[in-house]
Amino acid sequence: MAIDQPLVPQPGDQTRIHNIGYRNYDGPRLGRAYARRSLYSQSLRGAYGLGRSVKSKVLPMLLFVVMCVPAAIMVAVAVATKAHDLPVTYTRYAIIMQAVISLYVASQAPQSVSRDLRFKTVPLYFSRPIESSDYVRAKFAALASAMFILTAAPLIVLYVGALLAKLDFADQTKGFAQGLVSVTLLSLLFAGIGLVIAAVTPRRGFGIAAVIAVLTISYGAVSTLQAIADAQDATSAIPWIGLFSPVTLIDGLQSAFLGATSAFPGGVGPTHAEGVVYVLAVLGLIAATYGLLIRRYRKVGL
C-alpha cells in the first residue's frame, strides 16, 4: 500500500508569497451626512446634464431657456413701452408654462431614479453608511431644487426687468415673494409625483410616458369638467373639481392666499375656507409621495 509523502518543492519552483501591504483605513470617516450631501449634489448636477455627456445636457438646458425667454421678452416689451405693470404676474407665469414644467419633470425624474433601478445599483448605495431614507431625501431634494431653479429663474428675470423699468418697488417685491412661495410648493409637489411614478419602473421610457400622462391627462380632465360646470352654472363645484390635478391645486392655492388671479373658468377661485383644503391637499400629497418613496426603497434595498 502506497504511503502519502509530504509535498516537497521541486527545484526551480517559482512559488512566492507576497506581502502587498493591505492595511486598515485610518483616515477620517465622513459618515452619512457627507454621503447624503454627495448624492444630492450629484443628482442635482445630473438634472441639468452636468458631468454627463453633451446629449444629456440638451433637453434640460433647452427647457431652461424656453422657460426664461418669454420672461425676457415680456421685460423688453415693458421697458420699451414704459408700461406701468408687467404683462404677466409672478404667480401666473408658472401656470402659463406648466407644459414645459411637466415635460422637464417627466424627463428628469426617471433619469434620477430609473437608471439605479434598472442596473440594480441601489443596494450598492446602501452598502455604504447611507440608508434608504437618506437616498430618498437626497433624490427628492435634488429634483425639487432643480425644479425650483427652472421655475424661479424666469421670475428673477421678471423682477430684475421690473426694477429696470422703474415699476413700483414694493409691489414688485411683494409679487416676486409670492411667486417664489408658489413655485416652491409646485417644485415639491411635482418632484414628489414624478419620483413616485418613475420609481415604479426601471424603464426610463415608460417612466417618462407615465409622468406626462398623469400630469397632462389630470389637468385636461379637470379643466374640461370645470368648463362643463361653468356652462351649467354650477360655479360652486369649480373649486372642488380643481383638487384633482397638481396644476389646478397650485392655481387654487395661490389664488386663495397669494393674491393670484385664478385661471379657473370664469375666474372663480376657491374662497379662503376652500383654500385651506387646497393647502392641506398640497402638503398631504407632498408627504404622501415622500412616504411612498420611503416604502418603495426599503423593499429595493433588500
Side-chain angles (χ1 to χ4, degrees):
M1 181 172 61
I3 300 175
D4 293 338
Q5 299 293 331
L7 295 176
V8 179
Q10 300 298 320
D13 189 358
Q14 301 298 316
T15 302
R16 297 288 187 274
I17 298 177
H18 297 277
N19 179 6
I20 59 177
Y22 281 122
R23 294 182 298 175
N24 292 330
Y25 176 71
D26 298 323
R29 298 184 181 276
L30 301 177
R32 289 174 57 189
Y34 177 81
R36 188 167 54 244
R37 288 194 302 270
S38 298
L39 181 58
Y40 166 79
S41 175
Q42 181 266 338
S43 300
L44 178 57
R45 287 167 52 84
Y48 284 95
L50 302 179
R52 301 173 61 207
S53 65
V54 175
K55 182 180 178 181
S56 300
K57 297 179 176 66
V58 173
L59 183 59
M61 292 299 182
L62 178 62
L63 293 176
F64 182 82
V65 171
V66 170
M67 281 291 295
C68 292
V69 166
I73 294 173
M74 293 176 190
V75 165
V77 171
V79 172
T81 60
K82 298 182 181 179
H84 298 292
D85 207 349
L86 292 171
V88 174
T89 60
Y90 297 96
T91 50
R92 182 77 178 133
Y93 191 86
I95 302 300
I96 294 175
M97 303 296 290
Q98 58 91 14
V100 179
I101 297 171
S102 299
L103 182 58
Y104 180 85
V105 70
S107 64
Q108 297 310 309
Q111 182 275 328
S112 181
V113 297
S114 295
R115 285 154 54 96
D116 290 341
L117 293 171
R118 181 177 182 182
F119 297 108
K120 304 184 185 302
T121 57
V122 175
L124 297 180
Y125 285 107
F126 303 153
S127 67
R128 300 293 181 179
I130 187 173
E131 297 181 359
S132 59
S133 59
D134 299 315
Y135 180 90
V136 169
R137 279 196 290 269
K139 292 293 185 177
F140 200 127
L143 186 57
S145 298
M147 293 284 297
F148 181 78
I149 293 171
L150 181 78
T151 53
L155 301 188
I156 295 174
V157 174
L158 289 174
Y159 182 64
V160 172
L163 298 183
L164 292 175
K166 299 181 180 180
L167 302 182
D168 186 77
F169 176 80
D171 288 344
Q172 297 304 315
T173 301
K174 179 181 178 181
F176 178 60
Q178 291 172 334
L180 289 181
V181 173
S182 175
V183 298
T184 299
L185 292 172
L186 182 147
S187 299
L188 290 169
L189 180 61
F190 276 48
I193 293 172
L195 287 174
V196 165
I197 296 172
V200 173
T201 174
R203 297 292 181 179
R204 185 183 177 190
F206 292 162
I208 292 173
V211 174
I212 292 176
V214 168
L215 295 178
T216 58
I217 292 176
S218 64
Y219 178 70
V222 166
S223 298
T224 301
L225 291 175
Q226 287 178 326
I228 294 173
D230 183 56
Q232 298 294 327
D233 293 327
T235 56
S236 61
I238 292 177
W240 299 109
I241 297 173
L243 291 169
F244 297 95
S245 167
V247 177
T248 53
L249 268 175
I250 298 298
D251 189 348
L253 184 151
Q254 66 183 17
S255 64
F257 296 109
L258 298 177
T261 301
S262 178
F264 291 175
V268 181
T271 62
H272 285 291
E274 293 167 340
V276 172
V277 180
Y278 273 74
V279 173
L280 294 176
V282 170
L283 297 180
L285 274 175
I286 294 171
T289 54
Y290 178 78
L292 289 172
L293 286 170
I294 290 289
R295 182 177 180 181
R296 166 64 171 155
Y297 280 95
R298 280 177 181 166
K299 294 180 179 179
V300 172
L302 296 177

